[in-house]
Amino acid sequence: MATYLFRRLLIAIPSLLGISVILFTVLALAPGDPFEELATNPNVPPEVRMALRAKFGIDDPVMVRYFRWLTAMAQGDWGFSFASRIDVDTLILQRVPVTLFVVGSSQLLALAIALPVGIYAATRPYSIFDQIANTLAFVGFSLPTFFTGLLFILLFSIKLDWLPFVYRSDISATGWRWFWEHFRQAIMPIAVLGLFQAASYTRYVRSAVLDVIRLDYVTTARAKGLGETTVTLRHVTRNALIPVVTLVALQMPAVFGGAIVTEQIFRIPGIGSLLITAILANDTPVIMAVTFVFACLVILFNLIADLLYGWLDPRISFR
């Protein structure tokens, strides 16, 4: 296991380097200038503008700027935000906990719905429950998150006045009241992301279980007199979860990307809203850092998926 993990980490290094080169080059060649507004500000002298551009190396060749960025990243320096006037790593660390809480909770909700519903629907194909589950799943992943988000706001915030629709990070309460207020304002964004993912996962879990439940070894397990619950949980579900793990692992970076829209709707101060703000302000150090983090997530969750394969299927060996 340790050898396999070390080998995968070595493979990840050139992948991340290639991704960083592409990201940095695209951002460097994209139109826009982080100091563009200074050029139209009469209160900023031209020599000050030139000094700032020279300090941050804006006019240097792309490869020179890239190697400077790479060297700084290797030393733990993520750059300086032109818009927020603080270090990029500090800015990201301020936003990460909120995004992880919302995205992580939404994934737990999605799996808590998709696994039992998908497995139960597959064990009773074409039943009333299966048809209702399929219909709701089609409706769920056909509706975009911005539509369901606005629908939730209209229903639970404006009409019923149960939940706040603007996420506040400056809650003055303390103790359990503080935790409750944070959870209460996160209910709708978690539900929006979780239900959207649950709809997709349910269809995939049902399909995976249907493929496994028809195999010969499942019939043999039933012939030995094992109960249906034991056959489903020990012999069907565990093997059916292997492709599901792949889906969930590969979907996680996409979930973080989808959270960008949800964070904008509910005004959540997370990574998604930070990326949108940075794009609008041409804050390239922040854009580069956030997109590079998303790339790292893709590689990380692929590695986690490969490790989970060995736990789900003992026949898989790490060599």
Side-chain angles (χ1 to χ4, degrees):
M1 173 70 77
T3 304
Y4 173 80
L5 185 60
F6 180 72
R7 187 167 64 247
R8 284 296 304 270
L9 290 175
L10 287 180
I11 296 175
I13 292 175
S15 301
L16 289 175
L17 286 175
I19 292 171
S20 66
V21 169
I22 295 173
L23 288 175
F24 196 93
T25 304
V26 170
L27 289 176
L29 298 178
D33 190 335
F35 296 108
E36 186 176 2
E37 63 179 68
L38 295 180
T40 59
N41 190 343
N43 296 322
V44 180
E47 58 270 15
V48 174
R49 294 198 299 267
M50 296 301 294
L52 287 173
R53 296 182 70 87
K55 178 182 178 181
F56 291 102
I58 300 298
D59 298 323
D60 292 341
V62 175
M63 283 295 101
V64 173
R65 292 160 56 189
Y66 170 74
F67 283 112
R68 186 188 300 125
W69 173 84
L70 184 62
T71 303
M73 282 286 290
Q75 297 173 356
D77 181 8
W78 288 40
F80 183 79
S81 172
F82 300 137
S84 301
R85 306 294 192 269
I86 61 175
D87 292 335
V88 173
D89 54 351
T90 303
L91 191 60
I92 291 178
L93 289 175
Q94 290 174 352
R95 305 293 191 100
V96 163
V98 177
T99 298
L100 289 180
F101 173 67
V102 173
V103 171
S105 300
S106 68
Q107 288 304 289
L108 292 177
L109 175 63
L111 293 174
I113 295 173
L115 289 177
V117 172
I119 293 170
Y120 191 81
T123 56
R124 291 159 178 78
Y126 311 112
S127 63
I128 297 297
F129 180 87
D130 185 31
Q131 294 177 20
I132 293 175
N134 281 329
T135 302
L136 293 178
F138 276 120
V139 172
F141 63 72
S142 298
L143 297 177
T145 54
F146 69 84
F147 177 81
T148 53
L150 294 176
L151 192 65
F152 275 36
I153 290 174
L154 289 174
L155 179 60
F156 295 109
S157 295
I158 297 176
K159 188 174 182 59
L160 300 177
D161 196 22
W162 287 355
L163 300 169
F165 64 88
V166 175
Y167 197 101
R168 294 176 50 213
S169 57
D170 57 344
I171 295 177
S172 57
T174 57
W176 286 107
R177 182 70 181 176
W178 183 87
F179 285 103
W180 166 246
E181 289 297 330
H182 271 283
F183 177 75
R184 184 167 168 266
Q185 65 183 358
I187 289 176
M188 285 198 295
I190 289 173
V192 167
L193 285 174
L195 293 177
F196 181 78
Q197 291 298 318
S200 176
Y201 292 166
T202 299
R203 291 284 301 165
Y204 206 83
V205 170
R206 178 186 180 275
S207 177
V209 172
L210 279 176
D211 289 340
V212 174
I213 209 169
R214 301 189 182 102
L215 297 179
D216 292 339
Y217 76 88
V218 177
T219 305
T220 303
R222 290 197 181 101
K224 290 180 178 179
L226 296 177
E228 190 63 28
T229 302
T230 304
V231 172
T232 301
L233 295 179
R234 294 187 58 185
H235 297 278
V236 175
T237 302
R238 186 164 183 172
N239 289 282
L241 283 179
I242 294 177
V244 176
V245 166
T246 304
L247 175 69
V248 174
L250 295 180
Q251 282 286 339
M252 282 302 296
V255 173
F256 277 91
I260 295 175
V261 178
T262 306
E263 289 183 1
Q264 288 296 104
I265 294 173
F266 295 100
R267 298 295 184 266
I268 300 174
I271 292 293
S273 60
L274 174 63
L275 180 60
I276 295 296
T277 304
I279 291 173
L280 295 176
N282 287 320
D283 197 353
T284 49
V286 176
I287 301 173
M288 182 64 196
V290 174
T291 50
F292 187 70
V293 167
F294 285 166
C296 292
L297 288 175
V298 174
I299 294 177
L300 173 63
F301 283 107
N302 270 279
L303 177 59
I304 292 174
D306 289 343
L307 295 177
L308 287 175
Y309 291 158
W311 176 69
L312 291 171
D313 191 349
R315 295 171 299 179
I316 299 176
S317 62
F318 299 105
R319 295 181 180 177

